[in-house]
Amino acid sequence: MRHLGGSVVEHLPLAQGMIPGSWDQVLFILCFLSGTVYLDHAGATLFPQSQLTSFTNDLMENVYGNPHSQNISSKLTHETVEHVRYRILAHFHTSSEDYSVIFTAGSTAALKLVAEAFPWVSPGPECSGSRFCYLTDSHTSVVGMRKVTTAMNVTSIPVRPEDMRLAERRAAAASDPDCQLPHLFCYPAQSNFSGTRYPLSWIGEVKAGRMCPVSVPGKWFVLLDAASYVSTSPLDLSVHQADFVPLSFYKLFGFPTGLGALLVNNRVAPLLRKTYFGGGTAAAYLAGEDFYIPRSSVAERFEDGTISFLDVIALKHGFDALERLTGGMENIKQHTFTLAQYTYTALSALRYPDGAPVVRIYSDSEFSSPEEQGPIINFNVLDHSGNIIGYSQVDKMASLYNIHVRTGCFCNTGACQRHLGISDEMVKKHLQAGHVCGDDVDLIDGQPTGSVRISFGYMSTVEDAQAFLRFIIAMQLHQSDGQPLPQTMPAEAGAPSESEAQDAIPAIMDGCSSSPQEDAPIASGVCSDLPSTVGAADLHSPLPMTTGTQHTPLERAAGVLDGGLGPYVITNLYLYPIKSCAAFEVTTWPLGNQGLLYDRSWMVVNHNGVCLSQKQEPRLCLIQPFIDLQQKVMVLKAKGMEPIEVPLEEDGEQAQIYQSKVCADRVNTYNCGEKISSWLSRFFGRPCQLIKQSSKFQRSAKKQGKDQPAGTTASLSLVNEAQYLLINRSSVLELQQQLNASDENGKEELFPMKDLISRFRANIITNGTRAFEEEKWDEISIGSLRFQVSGPCHRCQMICIDQQTGQRNQNVFQKLSERRERKVNFGVYLMHMSLDLSSPRFLSVGSQVCPVLKENDVIS
């Protein structure tokens, strides 16, 4: 991708010999952030700006009313919607004579509709009943249909892909032609896990009875889950006449979301049964008695209530843009497959110096043909010893390169189990260990719970593929010889030969070194504003306060250390009044029931009220808050901005309470006013607001603390997990030595100690004798205060942001990941134990820290 400002400008094609030359002049303007490499098109593709412009112009120039009315604007809506139905059918090479289009909320809603309306027959004395069969390589939404069939006492049977391929090779036993017992077989045209494309010929074979998922008498119907397949390939329903075809349009156009359809073969439609009826579906009904006559049209009968008609109208502009920019689905099919084939070939050839593979690819094909393989590559990254690196760590590293991938099991547990070798018992064991679908628990007992997936769309380019390959090389091979990856694609549609594959990646195969080196050059299209050095800048001192001291924190800590008051003392104290903004360093500070007083009491939100963090807006660290307890104000400073004051407490009578969300928790907040909102909006160049957690609201901690009185829970501010975060200087020092040892620029101190400390955004900094010894502590005492260690802090890519400049450097995360064996933990969370605030309590630099080891833990 090539980027201009905040938009992505793309030239297509770059796959030589594959796409018509007219594409060379096409510019895509995608509403997306500069420097992003988007590789999750199987999740949701992107949309061109022209599509949105055309749609919004349509809305500005026409009035579209509710299609259930009879006025002029309503009739315009009805006629436009009907035109879109025809357009959908034409796209799939069929017509309203053969298929009906039922609009739904997405493919999941379409599948649910089939499960509820299919003419299932329950078993009886003289009838074995219907069968619901589905391929195990199916989306969760297909498997979920079995809950509906189970309620009807209908047997559900999972069918493995290998069993279907065996059935394909052997003729089915002759069945009773007079038996019309209905059975349903569901399978995906394309696996959303691996991109495997299953034969469309199965549709006709199963319907004709020449191939059966299971041997039972009756008539088979086929549901083809086409949601993943049709995003990059043509589907001809005049040839492959499935009975039901669910779709989600955002996978095809990127916009609109939340709209799908069920294409129903008209020969099957009369068999469907419906119980509930909503607005617009009735020809006539009575409120006083059980009398209801449905409309004759299949679509009107099943579209309960008013459809999302403006979204339906948006589909017209999606089709227009797709055809205008690409020339059709066949071109998209060839273009995306060629990119996937190229990436697969290069990725498969990656080797460590000892010849061990860098990745393990999960695939049922060799990427030799787009008839068998879609533009999806599923894999896990391996270390030098062949151990799998957890997908969440790969995802975090990819985000540092502005590469968007998908991780987990992709709502396809069956395929995930088959490819990763996860048994049913292991799935249950993982659940007991705390792993649920969609979380970041990527390894349990060294075994993967999921994988990494990349996928290409019609606007993807060779630069995207090369940027991804360079990322894998930089992450695992630390390659830096500067030799570029190939700039062109294989000229032929077939898979490159082995020699071509080797020639395609000379820098990868020939330049591997076991010693760490600088990252490989970043390809065009990847954010390249990553600094090679990080400047050292001191955190600002606090404003004068009654509990302060004339000495700097480090001077005071040094004095205590010289006095020999013990091996562990507090060397620095920080609070972060505004979540994700700069630290406020203090020497002595009062405690509240949520932690350090005013720590993470405020947060910046965007125009939708969503909390901003440095992950989305690194410049947050450039806003420096200062708290003056005497004046009861917080002063904000930033370069190029006049200082601004914010009251520490809300006006109880004037404050309007809003609900906000922090780490999945609902919190009551209030807006700090238009003046500070304007200040923040000017600084960030977009609408922002400052909100504060209401002092009358208690956000309860999820974990019950030790010695916590029965019936009470600890209170949290706007922190992620716990009241305090502690880090050990010895741990920081070890990381600093690793980072500086890998520096080849001749600089004496690439990462100053204070710079590294600031990246971890801890409240309490202690000295220590050994790196990471704090992880063996069960609790600590500081004077009369006791704190429970509630667990390690799992780090994200924010530690790569220089807190003085807002610049990123991937090395910090990568080196820490290597040191901690891929689990990027650094620092420990603390919670109060039986805190008594009847009199003021303080933490101070120089205070002695007395740790208590966990049981059976000994620091050697």
Side-chain angles (χ1 to χ4, degrees):
M1 295 182 179
R2 298 168 189 162
H3 307 277
L4 295 179
S7 300
V8 179
V9 182
E10 302 179 1
H11 289 270
L12 290 181
L14 293 177
Q16 295 182 349
M18 297 302 302
I19 311 297
S22 59
W23 273 23
D24 289 332
Q25 306 303 318
V26 175
L27 288 179
F28 286 89
I29 311 296
L30 300 174
C31 299
F32 215 69
L33 297 176
S34 176
T36 297
V37 176
Y38 184 82
L39 295 176
D40 187 26
H41 292 274
T45 197
L46 305 180
F47 48 83
Q49 188 183 55
S50 60
Q51 179 182 340
L52 288 189
T53 301
S54 177
F55 174 51
T56 52
N57 287 343
D58 188 351
L59 296 186
M60 296 298 292
E61 295 167 3
N62 296 284
V63 177
Y64 292 106
N66 189 312
H68 291 165
S69 298
Q70 295 297 317
N71 56 57
I72 296 174
S73 60
S74 299
K75 288 183 177 180
L76 175 63
T77 301
H78 175 77
E79 292 170 1
T80 306
V81 167
E82 293 308 301
H83 171 75
V84 172
R85 291 190 207 270
Y86 298 145
R87 189 77 176 270
I88 293 169
L89 294 173
H91 183 79
F92 295 110
H93 304 279
T94 188
S95 69
S96 57
E97 294 181 2
D98 295 318
Y99 281 87
S100 295
V101 178
I102 301 172
F103 288 114
T104 65
S107 59
T108 295
L111 290 163
K112 183 172 180 285
L113 190 157
V114 174
E116 294 173 340
F118 190 79
W120 306 108
V121 175
S122 299
E126 299 181 358
C127 176
S128 60
S130 297
R131 296 292 189 274
F132 168 54
C133 294
Y134 57 90
L135 207 67
T136 53
D137 188 355
S138 287
H139 193 277
T140 302
S141 300
V142 171
V143 181
M145 295 170 68
R146 72 186 183 197
K147 295 297 288 186
V148 177
T149 63
T150 299
M152 300 179 183
N153 203 23
V154 170
T155 301
S156 297
I157 303 174
V159 181
R160 301 180 306 170
E162 51 267 39
D163 292 336
M164 280 302 292
R165 295 191 187 279
L166 284 174
E168 189 177 17
R169 290 195 290 268
R170 66 171 185 265
S175 59
D176 183 359
D178 295 327
C179 180
Q180 296 297 304
L181 187 65
H183 309 297
L184 181 64
F185 174 56
C186 301
Y187 79 99
Q190 174 177 290
S191 169
N192 73 310
F193 180 92
S194 64
T196 296
R197 288 182 168 169
Y198 293 102
L200 296 177
S201 59
W202 286 1
I203 298 170
E205 294 295 303
V206 171
K207 289 178 64 175
R210 293 187 294 269
M211 175 182 170
C212 295
V214 293
S215 296
V216 291
K219 181 178 178 60
W220 283 96
F221 297 87
V222 177
L223 182 152
L224 181 72
D225 180 3
S228 178
Y229 180 85
V230 299
S231 62
T232 55
S233 282
L235 175 62
D236 190 339
L237 290 179
S238 68
V239 177
H240 306 291
Q241 298 184 359
D243 298 297
F244 309 100
V245 183
L247 309 167
S248 283
F249 290 109
Y250 70 91
K251 293 184 182 291
L252 190 61
F253 305 127
F255 176 85
T257 58
L259 179 67
L262 177 66
L263 308 188
V264 180
N265 193 309
N266 288 337
R267 292 192 296 272
V268 179
L271 302 177
L272 299 181
R273 302 177 301 199
K274 192 165 184 284
T275 51
Y276 173 83
F277 65 92
T281 65
Y285 77 96
L286 291 174
E289 66 176 81
D290 187 10
F291 175 78
Y292 162 73
I293 303 298
R295 289 183 176 269
S296 57
S297 162
V298 176
E300 290 179 323
R301 198 158 70 241
F302 283 92
E303 290 173 352
D304 291 305
T306 301
I307 61 174
S308 185
F309 56 88
L310 292 182
D311 285 339
V312 172
I313 292 170
L315 297 181
K316 170 191 177 297
H317 303 280
F319 281 116
D320 289 345
L322 193 72
E323 293 171 6
R324 182 180 70 254
L325 297 175
T326 70
M329 295 304 299
E330 186 62 36
N331 289 337
I332 294 174
K333 172 183 173 181
Q334 297 298 332
H335 175 71
T336 54
F337 173 73
T338 305
L339 288 172
Q341 182 188 58
Y342 163 77
T343 308
Y344 169 82
T345 302
L347 201 58
S348 301
L350 288 178
R351 293 289 187 273
Y352 287 106
D354 63 358
V358 172
V359 299
R360 179 178 299 159
I361 297 176
Y362 306 111
S363 175
D364 294 318
S365 81
E366 297 296 327
F367 284 70
S368 59
S369 167
E371 306 307 320
E372 299 176 354
Q373 179 65 47
I376 293 173
I377 303 174
N378 197 304
F379 64 97
N380 268 318
V381 179
L382 308 175
D383 65 15
H384 292 80
S385 302
N387 300 313
I388 288 176
I389 298 171
Y391 60 75
S392 66
Q393 301 307 314
V394 177
D395 192 18
K396 289 174 182 177
M397 284 299 300
S399 68
L400 298 177
Y401 288 78
N402 269 341
I403 297 176
H404 294 208
V405 300
R406 179 79 176 267
T407 60
C409 268
F410 323 102
C411 295
N412 190 332
T413 299
C416 192
Q417 284 187 259
R418 182 167 72 93
H419 285 286
L420 274 64
I422 303 174
S423 67
D424 293 350
E425 288 305 313
M426 289 171 67
V427 172
K428 296 173 184 177
K429 180 181 177 183
H430 293 170
L431 178 62
Q432 292 173 350
H435 169 58
V436 297
C437 292
D439 67 15
D440 60 358
V441 180
D442 48 20
L443 295 172
I444 296 179
D445 297 330
Q447 299 301 311
T449 63
S451 55
V452 183
R453 185 186 74 186
I454 63 170
S455 50
F456 298 96
Y458 71 85
M459 68 290 297
S460 299
T461 67
V462 173
E463 285 91 345
D464 294 335
Q466 291 175 335
F468 166 74
L469 290 169
R470 285 194 175 95
F471 153 64
I472 295 295
I473 296 166
M475 183 176 75
Q476 292 306 110
L477 301 176
H478 312 289
Q479 188 69 12
S480 62
D481 58 14
Q483 297 184 42
L485 288 162
Q487 296 300 313
T488 58
M489 300 293 291
E492 302 299 329
S497 67
E498 186 175 345
S499 61
E500 287 173 331
Q502 297 295 329
D503 292 341
I505 47 172
I508 307 168
M509 299 300 298
D510 301 333
C512 291
S513 169
S514 58
S515 61
Q517 300 181 28
E518 288 182 309
D519 288 349
I522 298 174
S524 171
V526 183
C527 184
S528 58
D529 59 349
L530 306 175
S532 58
T533 60
V534 181
D538 289 335
L539 293 170
H540 290 266
S541 302
L543 293 177
M545 45 185 288
T546 56
T547 58
T549 176
Q550 298 301 312
H551 301 289
T552 67
L554 287 178
E555 286 172 344
R556 178 166 178 175
V560 172
L561 285 170
D562 291 340
L565 291 181
Y568 305 108
V569 296
I570 297 176
T571 63
N572 303 80
L573 275 176
Y574 299 104
L575 63 147
Y576 306 84
I578 305 176
K579 190 174 176 69
S580 265
C581 287
F584 175 47
E585 185 173 6
V586 296
T587 56
T588 299
W589 198 254
L591 305 186
N593 65 346
Q594 298 174 336
L596 290 171
L597 190 63
Y598 299 118
D599 182 48
R600 275 99 169 181
S601 290
W602 292 264
M603 64 183 179
V604 179
V605 298
N606 66 10
H607 63 291
N608 291 322
V610 176
C611 176
L612 291 179
S613 76
Q614 290 182 29
K615 295 178 187 178
Q616 302 89 25
E617 183 51 83
R619 290 181 297 165
L620 280 164
C621 69
L622 304 181
I623 295 179
Q624 301 156 348
F626 303 86
I627 290 181
D628 189 331
L629 293 176
Q630 290 180 322
Q631 299 298 321
K632 297 183 180 180
V633 296
M634 175 174 65
V635 179
L636 301 187
K637 295 183 179 180
K639 186 176 181 180
M641 304 290 292
E642 290 292 324
I644 187 171
E645 292 186 358
V646 178
L648 292 181
E649 300 296 340
E650 70 264 38
D651 184 335
E653 296 181 359
Q654 298 296 323
Q656 184 174 354
I657 301 300
Y658 300 90
Q659 277 209 336
S660 301
K661 197 171 184 180
V662 174
C663 297
D665 291 341
R666 288 289 175 184
V667 294
N668 287 351
T669 62
Y670 68 90
N671 193 306
C672 294
E674 190 59 39
K675 185 178 178 181
I676 183 61
S677 295
S678 298
W679 191 90
L680 290 169
S681 300
R682 287 198 307 274
F683 181 76
F684 290 116
R686 55 171 166 162
C688 294
Q689 296 177 324
L690 183 69
I691 62 175
K692 184 177 185 290
Q693 183 174 343
S694 172
S695 59
K696 299 177 182 178
F697 176 80
Q698 176 170 315
R699 178 188 171 206
S700 298
K702 294 181 175 65
K703 293 182 180 180
Q704 181 76 10
K706 186 187 295 185
D707 296 343
Q708 188 80 31
T712 65
T713 57
S715 181
L716 298 179
S717 62
L718 302 177
V719 295
N720 287 354
E721 292 192 40
Q723 294 167 335
Y724 302 87
L725 177 59
L726 176 148
I727 65 173
N728 170 11
R729 279 179 167 268
S730 294
S731 306
V732 181
L733 179 60
E734 180 179 285
L735 177 61
Q736 181 192 40
Q737 291 169 346
Q738 283 185 295
L739 288 165
N740 291 345
S742 65
D743 177 37
E744 298 178 353
N745 297 321
K747 296 184 181 297
E748 293 183 2
E749 193 176 41
L750 179 63
F751 291 93
M753 177 67 82
K754 195 148 192 173
D755 167 69
L756 281 178
I757 287 174
S758 69
R759 290 169 183 259
F760 292 103
R761 301 180 62 79
N763 301 110
I764 302 170
I765 319 297
T766 71
N767 67 325
T769 58
R770 294 173 181 82
F772 305 110
E773 61 183 320
E774 64 275 15
E775 294 181 1
K776 296 186 177 183
W777 298 348
D778 185 52
E779 60 180 82
I780 66 171
S781 296
I782 305 175
S784 61
L785 300 170
R786 293 176 62 208
F787 302 87
Q788 180 186 349
V789 177
S790 61
C793 177
H794 306 295
R795 294 298 179 169
C796 65
Q797 58 268 34
M798 269 181 60
I799 65 174
C800 294
I801 299 173
D802 181 344
Q803 296 297 297
Q804 278 68 54
T805 66
Q807 298 284 313
R808 285 189 175 95
N809 188 309
Q810 301 100 320
N811 282 346
V812 178
F813 189 93
Q814 188 161 337
K815 288 297 179 184
L816 183 59
S817 175
E818 293 170 3
R819 168 62 177 84
R820 303 314 311 276
E821 297 179 348
R822 305 299 172 182
K823 280 299 180 184
V824 191
N825 297 337
F826 200 96
V828 292
Y829 289 119
L830 304 178
M831 297 289 287
H832 289 304
M833 294 175 64
S834 304
L835 179 67
D836 180 9
L837 289 177
S838 58
S839 59
R841 302 285 183 171
F842 296 87
L843 281 181
S844 300
V845 169
S847 297
Q848 187 170 359
V849 178
C850 299
V852 176
L853 291 178
K854 297 177 183 176
E855 291 184 14
N856 302 321
D857 261 332
V858 176
I859 298 179
S860 57

